[in-house]
Amino acid sequence: MKRLYALLLLVVLLPCTLFAQEKDRDWWKHAVFYEIYPRSFADSNNDGLGDLNGITAHLDYLKRLGVDAIWITPCFPSPQVDFGYDVSDYESIDPAYGTLADFDRLVAEARKRNIRVVLDFVLNHTSDRHAWFQDSRSSRTSAKRDWFVWRDGAAPGQPPNNWGSVFGGSAWQLDPATGQYYLHQFYPEQPDLNWRYPEVEDAMMEVARFWFKRGVAGFRLDAVDRIYEDPDLRDNPVKVDPDGSETLVETYTTNLPELHNVLRHLRTVADEYGAVLVGETWTSSVEELQRYYNSLQMPMNFVFTMVNRPSAPEFRKQIHDAERGLGWPVYLFSNHDITRHYDRYGDRAYNDQIAKALAALYLTLRGTPILYYGEEIGMTNNDPARVQDVKDPIGRRFWPHNKGRDGERTPMQWTAGPNGGFSQTAPWLPVPDSARTHNVAAEEKDERSILRFYRHLLELRHTNEQLREGNYVALNENDANVLAYLRTYKGKAVLVAINMSAVPRKIALDLRQHSFGAKAKTLLATESQPGSIHLSEISLAPFGVYIGEVK
Ligand code: GLC
C-alpha cells in the first residue's frame, strides 16, 4: 500500500517538478535586468569608489524598483587600466570593491530578495598583469606561450599585419624581451587570449564553474565577437570613405564562425547550473544577431540602441525586425560604453518626458530589458570638461573628438547632498549639477518623477499577463508620430500609445479587426487621463504615454 502511495505521488509530482524546473530555467525571460558599474553605484567605506557592500546596502532600493537580476561589470582584481575589463585574476574580488566574503554576502542577501547576480566574463583578453600572461611573455618556450597570440613582425620594426586596436593604433605590441609581438584588440595592457589553444578553453570553463558554484546566476559575456581571429593573419580590408579617410573593415578580427563553438561549450557548462548567458553582441543587423541564439539565451540587441532619436517609424521598424528575426529579444538603451540615452534622445525641452516615453517603450515590449543604473532617475551624461580630468584612456588619446566613457559612468545620484549622496569623499568622477533635481531621494517623494514612472511600469510588467506573455500587434502603422501597439494574450490586450513628438497628438484606433471593443481602462499614463477612455480619441501630450487594457 505504502509503495503504491509512493508511486502515485511520484507520478503526480514528477511532471510538476520538471515543469517547475523548466519554468525556473526560463526565469530570465520575465526578469528585469539592471546593470551596475560597481565603481560608481554606492560607496560604503567613503574612499570615493563604489564597492560590493554598497550594492548590498541598496538591494532594497532595487527590489522596490522591480529589478530581478543585477549584472555587475567586472569586480575582479585588476590594474584598472580599462576599469576592470583588464582582469589579473578571474577568481577573486578586487580589494577596492571588497572580498570574496563580501561577494558571498551580496549573493545571499540578493537571493533573499529574489534578485539574481550576474557577473561579467571577460573572455577575449586578460590583463598584462595576469599570471598567465606574465608566464607567457617570460620566454618563447614558456608552457603558457601559446595561451596568447604571439607572432614575429612582418619586417624589422613592423607589426605582423594591419590589424587595428578598438582603442586606436596597431593591435600588435612588440615585447622586447622575446622579440615578438602579442595581439591586443583593446589596450596593450589587455593581451588577447588564444582560444585556438585547448588549455585556454579548459581554464576559462573552470573559471565559469568557480562562479556558478558560488551562486552566480549567469554571465554577461564581454566582447564575444572578437575571441577568434584569422589564423593566417590576413590583412583586414581597407575602406576609403568619401572624405578620403581610411577605415579597416574587421573581416578577419570579428565574428569568426569558430566563436560559436566556444559559446556552445560555455552554454553546456551554464546549463549544468541553470545559468543564463547574456552577450555583448554588437551587430549591424538582426540577421547577424540571430546566429548568437544558437548558444546564448540573451544576445543584446544593439541595433535597437542605434535609432538615436525619438521616431515612431524607426522604432516600429526595429520592433518589427526583432519580432520577426529574433528568438526572445533583449532590449537596452544605455550602458557603460555609450552616451546615456537621456542625452542621446533628449531635446533639452522635454528630456524627462522623453526618458519616460522610452522607458514605456522598451519596458512594455515582448523581451527582456536591461536597465543601466541611474537611467531610472534620468541621469545625464557628464563628460569631462578638461583633458586632464579624463580617466578613460581613449578619452585622453582622442580628445576632444572623443571624450571617452567617463560621462556615462558617473556616481549614482542618491540624494541632493554633497557628491549626490554617493560618498562623503570626492568620488572618482564628479557628480553633475543635475543631481540636485535628479536623485533617488527627491524622486521617491515626487509622484510625477521618472523614478516613480519606472516603478509603476515595472510593477505592471510583473503583474500583467498581457505584458509578460502577450504577442506584439502593431497599430496605425503609418502614423509618423505616435507609436501604438497591443500586447495580446488569452483574448485580452494591453494597448500602449507613445507620442514620439514634441507636439500634442490625438489618435483614433479601431480595434474591431482584432476583435476588441472601443474602450480602454487606463493602467498608466504620463498625464492625467480618465479611468476609462474611448479609443476614437486618445489625447497625448508631447512625448506622452498611455497604457490601458482593452476589452
Ligand atoms: C567591452 C566593454 C568595454 C571594454 C571592452 C574591452 O566592450 O563593455 O567597457 O572596454 O569590452 O574589455
Side-chain angles (χ1 to χ4, degrees):
M1 193 61 185
K2 259 191 192 156
R3 244 198 236 155
L4 189 70
Y5 256 147
L7 198 70
L8 261 175
L9 214 64
L10 199 72
V11 171
V12 175
L13 288 182
L14 194 67
C16 294
T17 328
L18 289 179
F19 179 67
Q21 264 181 13
E22 203 41 52
K23 265 193 89 168
D24 204 43
R25 273 187 180 258
D26 280 351
W27 62 268
W28 50 271
K29 280 196 170 170
H30 294 117
V32 170
F33 282 65
Y34 184 96
E35 179 190 351
I36 292 181
Y37 201 69
R39 213 176 175 76
S40 296
F41 191 62
D43 179 10
S44 73
N45 59 354
N46 290 308
D47 63 355
L49 297 180
D51 43 52
L52 297 186
N53 288 339
I55 301 175
T56 309
H58 287 92
L59 287 170
D60 285 333
Y61 164 76
L62 296 171
K63 183 75 205 165
R64 219 167 35 244
L65 175 60
V67 168
D68 305 293
I70 50 176
W71 146 35
I72 306 174
T73 63
C75 50
F76 318 106
S78 161
Q80 306 290 342
V81 172
D82 193 16
F83 299 107
Y85 284 97
D86 45 329
V87 180
S88 54
D89 177 357
Y90 284 99
E91 298 184 355
S92 191
I93 297 293
D94 193 300
Y97 298 140
T99 61
L100 269 174
D102 294 333
F103 179 77
D104 291 341
R105 198 168 65 84
L106 165 58
V107 173
E109 288 298 319
R111 185 175 293 141
K112 281 187 201 158
R113 293 160 178 86
N114 224 356
I115 295 177
R116 287 164 155 103
V117 177
V118 168
L119 287 182
D120 208 313
F121 199 3
V122 187
L123 301 167
N124 179 67
H125 47 268
T126 68
S127 155
D128 61 347
R129 305 290 172 80
H130 194 294
W132 298 342
F133 187 71
Q134 294 285 317
D135 191 335
S136 182
R137 85 187 321 177
S138 65
S139 90
R140 289 194 186 205
T141 55
S142 146
K144 294 251 176 344
R145 187 66 171 177
D146 290 334
W147 283 47
F148 295 84
V149 184
W150 292 97
R151 289 288 190 285
D152 292 329
Q158 268 182 41
N161 64 15
N162 75 348
W163 294 350
S165 151
V166 175
F167 293 149
S170 169
W172 296 98
Q173 178 79 16
L174 178 66
D175 199 36
T178 58
Q180 282 192 307
Y181 289 79
Y182 66 85
L183 178 71
H184 59 90
Q185 291 222 45
F186 295 92
Y187 293 123
E189 294 85 351
Q190 295 168 297
D192 269 44
L193 280 161
N194 176 14
W195 279 85
R196 296 190 187 276
Y197 195 65
E199 284 181 21
V200 166
E201 189 163 329
D202 295 345
M204 293 301 261
M205 296 302 151
E206 282 317 301
V207 170
R209 286 201 169 83
F210 174 88
W211 291 108
F212 289 147
K213 285 184 195 146
R214 283 200 115 85
V216 163
F219 284 116
R220 175 264 191 185
L221 306 175
D222 185 61
V224 274
D225 54 337
R226 294 178 181 271
I227 58 184
Y228 277 96
E229 300 82 25
D230 180 33
D232 299 331
L233 261 54
R234 277 171 282 187
D235 275 346
N236 271 331
V238 179
K239 187 174 111 225
V240 184
D241 294 323
D243 65 356
S245 62
E246 295 184 346
T247 44
L248 289 176
V249 186
E250 297 183 296
T251 313
Y252 297 116
T253 42
T254 59
N255 275 314
L256 268 73
E258 297 93 310
L259 74 90
H260 294 281
N261 301 337
V262 165
L263 296 182
R264 266 192 294 274
H265 185 186
L266 188 56
R267 176 64 185 274
T268 56
V269 176
D271 280 348
E272 290 168 28
Y273 299 87
V276 69
L277 298 179
V278 184
E280 192 207 3
T281 39
W282 286 97
T283 62
S284 49
S285 72
V286 156
E287 289 70 37
E288 225 181 286
L289 188 58
Q290 180 56 43
R291 303 224 318 262
Y292 284 97
Y293 280 86
N294 292 330
S295 45
L296 313 181
Q297 296 101 319
M298 289 179 53
M300 295 182 195
N301 182 3
F302 282 106
V303 193
F304 188 80
T305 63
M306 296 174 203
V307 172
N308 285 336
R309 63 194 184 100
S311 155
E314 284 188 44
F315 277 121
R316 202 174 284 127
K317 180 184 177 312
Q318 287 300 325
I319 301 164
H320 174 81
D321 288 355
E323 282 288 319
R324 200 196 35 167
L326 299 179
W328 186 261
V330 177
Y331 292 111
L332 67 151
F333 270 122
S334 286
N335 72 20
H336 62 284
D337 294 325
I338 51 183
T339 302
R340 282 184 178 274
H341 69 266
Y342 188 85
D343 301 82
R344 276 199 344 264
Y345 290 83
D347 65 354
R348 288 165 195 263
Y350 289 105
N351 277 14
D352 284 8
Q353 287 85 340
I354 295 172
K356 289 180 187 172
L358 294 178
L361 167 63
Y362 90 122
L363 299 177
T364 61
L365 287 178
R366 198 182 66 92
T368 302
I370 307 180
L371 278 60
Y372 183 48
Y373 82 95
E375 69 168 71
E376 74 277 20
I377 51 171
M379 269 175 65
T380 53
N381 237 71
N382 188 36
D383 286 333
R386 308 176 315 169
V387 65
Q388 56 268 43
D389 297 331
V390 177
K391 299 283 193 298
D392 184 15
I394 48 169
R396 287 200 298 272
R397 180 172 187 149
F398 295 110
W399 186 271
H401 161 68
N402 174 347
K403 295 182 174 167
R405 297 164 292 177
D406 294 356
E408 53 263 32
R409 299 172 174 180
T410 59
M412 177 68 177
Q413 297 162 191
W414 294 103
T415 69
N419 307 317
F422 166 80
S423 176
Q424 286 166 24
T425 329
W428 77 289
L429 288 174
V431 173
D433 289 345
S434 73
R436 282 194 223 119
T437 49
H438 291 70
N439 64 71
V440 172
E443 294 193 36
E444 293 214 323
K445 287 191 213 116
D446 174 5
E447 66 177 46
R448 298 187 54 80
S449 67
I450 302 176
L451 177 61
R452 295 279 286 266
F453 189 69
Y454 264 78
R455 268 203 214 147
H456 281 294
L457 267 173
L458 293 182
E459 196 188 322
L460 252 187
R461 216 190 137 80
H462 283 114
T463 52
N464 182 291
E465 265 196 313
Q466 285 68 49
L467 289 180
R468 280 167 62 88
E469 312 281 354
N471 289 329
Y472 167 85
V473 181
L475 301 172
N476 287 16
E477 291 189 70
N478 295 322
D479 193 312
N481 301 297
V482 177
L483 182 65
Y485 50 88
L486 296 177
R487 299 285 313 282
T488 62
Y489 187 63
K490 289 189 178 162
K492 287 187 171 174
V494 165
L495 159 72
V496 180
I498 306 169
N499 181 0
M500 291 265 172
S501 74
V503 177
R505 304 273 171 194
K506 278 193 175 47
I507 58 162
L509 294 170
D510 180 350
L511 300 184
R512 271 176 301 183
Q513 57 157 318
H514 303 289
S515 312
F516 292 109
K519 284 191 159 178
K521 187 180 123 205
T522 306
L523 296 172
L524 179 62
T526 42
E527 57 268 6
S528 72
Q529 296 272 6
S532 164
I533 63 159
H534 210 278
L535 299 181
S536 60
E537 189 169 300
I538 306 174
S539 301
L540 295 163
F543 301 103
V545 174
Y546 179 83
I547 304 175
E549 192 181 316
V550 293
K551 292 260 168 67

